[in-house]
Every structure is written in C-alpha cells, then in structure tokens.
Amino acid sequence: MPGFDVSKFHQLGKKIVGAGLNYKSLLKEKGFPEPKEPVIFVKPTSTYLLEGSPIIIPKGYDVFNEIELGVIIGRKGKDIRAEEATRYIGGYCLALDLTAMNILNEHRKEGLPWLVSKGFDTATPISAPVPAACLPDPPAARLWCCVDGRLRQDDRICGMIFSIPRQLAFMSKNMTLEPYDLILTGSPAGVGPIKQGNVIQGGLEDILSINFNVC
C-alpha cells in the first residue's frame, strides 16, 4: 500500500469501529444469545492511549478490561466483499476496549447507545502496530490478557462469531472505511473490573504485546 505508514494510525485515523458480543466464549459465559449480524459501535479517536501513559478511570465508572485484536485499515473501502477483505488491511495492533460496565448495563436496559460507557478519555489503550504481513493467519493466533499477573482472558481469534472479513464486509455496507481507521474485533470471555494500581498486560502470540498501569 504505497504511502501507507501503519505507525501513524492513531494520529491519522478518523474513527474507531468496534464489534461487540463477538466471541463464542463470552456469549457462553454471559448466557447471551448469538447475534444474527455484527453488533457495531463507534468510539472517538480521542480515547486513544499510548503505552507509557496511564489509564485514568473517571469517578463513578466501574471499568472492565476487554483485550481485542485491532485491525488497521490500509485503503479506502466501501461495500467490501468478504473474500477480498484482506486487501484492505494495512496492519494490526492490540487494544483494550475499556468499558464502564455499570453505565453500559443501564444503557442496554433503556435501549440507549454505548458511547458514554466506551468513549471516555483513555478508553482505548493501544500497542505499537505491525504491518499486516506480520500476521499472515489471524484465526490461528492466541489472544490473552492478565491483570496483576493473573490470566483473565485466553482464546484464539478463531473463537470469533463473525470473522474479520465478515466484519469488514458488514461495516463497509454502512460506512466507508478509510485508511488508518481502527476496527476493534471483539473480546473473549474473562472481562472483569480494573482499579487504580492494577497492571494490565496482554499479547497476541509473540507478535503483539501491551502493558498499561491504571491510575
């Protein structure tokens, strides 16, 4: 992808699009029914947090960790066909889709959007990215997350309900995906509360890693 610099995605991307309820293990853990199509939401890019800076939990927010594989869009796409979706991927990163679960649960009951629970400052900590070629077989990769050294989440990308190509195809029917946009592809079972003083670590095989302190 000529002129595409994956390292600049957090500076140049216009949107973060997330997929909720997208791991079989999470639905089994929570007793939720399987969605018929991807459940998507949008986060502002002001939620990005780079390693070396702390996660800040707003007062009154009960924040939970959610480790996710992030897909970085490398070229503009509209109505992308699933079988061609990999052509639009410029790179990958790890992300924590931090969620104020107390607010999300209330808004779910009332049928309200998820933005407030997921859009607060520092709600999207990200790892350094890698080019797409560094992850030739995403479904086989292991995704994990620890809090204070204790393993909370551990699954493989193939545990998704909707694969990455299917997500990109669905999302691009509703909105144009543009270079440097970030797609959060869902989080497996094991999400839980975090608090001040915690250290959150995660990884995808030996390809991507993430490490953040909570303040």
Side-chain angles (χ1 to χ4, degrees), residues 34-38 162 166:
E34 187 170 307
K36 296 180 180 179
E37 59 184 26
F162 301 102
R166 289 184 66 189

Side-chain angles (χ1 to χ4, degrees), residues 43-115:
K43 302 180 72 167
T45 57
S46 57
T47 62
Y48 278 138
L49 182 69
L50 303 183
E51 287 189 293
S53 297
I55 295 166
I56 307 295
I57 299 179
K59 185 177 180 180
Y61 281 41
D62 297 334
V63 175
F64 281 41
N65 65 283
E66 295 185 29
I67 191 76
E68 313 210 1
L69 174 61
V71 173
I72 302 164
I73 300 300
R75 55 187 291 193
K76 187 175 182 178
K78 175 68 176 174
D79 293 322
I80 297 170
R81 296 172 59 193
E83 57 268 30
E84 298 179 349
T86 55
R87 296 173 51 200
Y88 294 83
I89 298 174
Y92 297 97
C93 72
L94 279 182
L96 293 169
D97 176 27
L98 299 181
T99 304
M101 200 61 66
N102 58 327
I103 295 174
L104 177 62
N105 289 337
E106 286 300 317
H107 287 183
R108 277 177 174 162
K109 292 176 185 177
E110 299 174 14
L112 297 175
W114 295 6
L115 180 60

Side-chain angles (χ1 to χ4, degrees), residues 139-157:
R142 176 187 174 229
L143 178 69
W144 61 271
C145 180
C146 289
V147 177
D148 293 342
R150 295 185 178 182
L151 187 65
R152 280 195 180 177
Q153 296 181 270
D154 190 359
D155 208 333
R156 292 194 178 272
I157 301 302

Side-chain angles (χ1 to χ4, degrees), residues 26 29 37 56 120 144 170 176 193:
L26 179 66
E29 179 185 60
E37 59 184 26
I56 307 295
F120 58 93
W144 61 271
F170 179 82
T176 300

